[in-house]
Amino acid sequence: MSIEGIKSYYHVNETKFHALTEEECEKIILAALRIMEETGLVIQKNTVGDIFEKAGCTVEGDLVKFPQELVKECIASAAPELVLYDRMGNDVIHATGCNNYYGNGPTNPMYNDFETGERRLALTKDIANNALVSDACPNIDFIMGLGGISDCDPQVADIVELQQILKNTTKPIIPWCIDVENLKDLIE
């Protein structure tokens, strides 16, 4: 990769499957860097704008613009590998280089009920069933909730979701949270 400060794994990808050329990948990365620097990102409820400013960003209300060099520095400062463990203490995911891992996606508001064929709002039982089925699938490496639960108080939906996943899998979990207080509860 010819973008200084960004490492390419293009030629070490063991699958040798490439939907884009390395040059096309570089164009996308350069465009993303330009958008972050010139257009910026809206950070809703930006209570940490001073942290962005101290790091060298331009902050205009909820709009934050990130200098390209800062983005590259942040990328370079990331750990070379992230290891995730299952609940039995086994290291099962080594996120580094070209390693690929698969899991289900997050917080879909609607479900196609496999028993009735009806499309409906996601329910707590869907989260439990999803975790149970995903746990049994050897090619699923991590679990996400896969549904925005509609049958509980929305202010605790993240906690209810994690509870259902914990009951039905030991695989690594990628949770989400509504706010800092719920994050504390999730960790506990």
Side-chain angles (χ1 to χ4, degrees):
M1 175 147 316
S2 64
I3 302 172
E4 186 177 334
I6 297 180
K7 181 176 181 174
S8 171
Y9 291 97
Y10 192 85
H11 295 289
V12 295
N13 182 342
E14 293 176 4
T15 65
K16 304 296 183 210
F17 171 77
H18 300 287
L20 301 172
T21 66
E22 186 166 24
E23 292 75 26
E24 290 170 325
C25 293
E26 287 181 13
K27 285 182 182 179
I28 292 170
I29 292 168
L30 289 170
L33 290 170
R34 191 175 64 251
I35 290 167
M36 290 181 72
E37 184 171 59
E38 296 174 9
T39 305
L41 302 172
V42 173
I43 310 293
Q44 294 180 349
K45 298 182 182 178
N46 185 1
T47 58
V48 293
D50 57 329
I51 294 172
F52 288 125
E53 281 183 319
K54 286 178 186 173
C57 297
T58 303
V59 179
E60 302 164 1
D62 287 348
L63 181 66
V64 180
K65 295 180 180 180
F66 300 83
Q68 290 187 25
E69 289 310 310
L70 176 63
V71 175
K72 291 176 186 177
E73 286 174 28
C74 291
I75 292 169
S77 72
E81 178 180 36
L82 173 66
V83 179
L84 298 179
Y85 297 82
D86 65 17
R87 294 209 350 260
M88 308 308 288
N90 303 307
D91 57 334
V92 294
I93 292 180
H94 292 261
T96 186
C98 293
N99 293 350
N100 293 299
Y101 297 96
Y102 301 94
N104 44 33
T107 58
N108 299 304
M110 303 298 288
Y111 255 69
N112 287 329
D113 190 307
F114 68 90
E115 293 173 337
T116 67
E118 300 287 320
R119 184 170 190 256
R120 59 165 172 74
L121 292 172
L123 304 172
T124 302
K125 70 177 184 175
D126 298 322
I127 304 305
N129 288 338
N130 168 59
L132 189 62
V133 169
S134 297
D135 188 70
C137 295
N139 293 331
I140 298 292
D141 302 299
F142 61 87
I143 309 292
M144 296 178 82
L146 201 60
I149 304 171
S150 67
D151 60 344
C152 72
D153 180 343
Q155 294 302 310
V156 295
D158 53 346
I159 296 169
V160 172
E161 179 178 297
L162 181 60
Q163 180 185 45
Q164 294 303 309
I165 297 170
L166 287 169
K167 286 181 181 178
N168 291 288
T169 189
T170 59
K171 290 184 178 183
I173 299 168
I174 300 176
W176 62 279
C177 65
I178 291 173
D179 56 28
V180 173
E181 291 306 312
N182 280 22
L183 176 60
K184 292 175 185 174
D185 290 338
L186 291 176
I187 291 168
E188 187 178 317

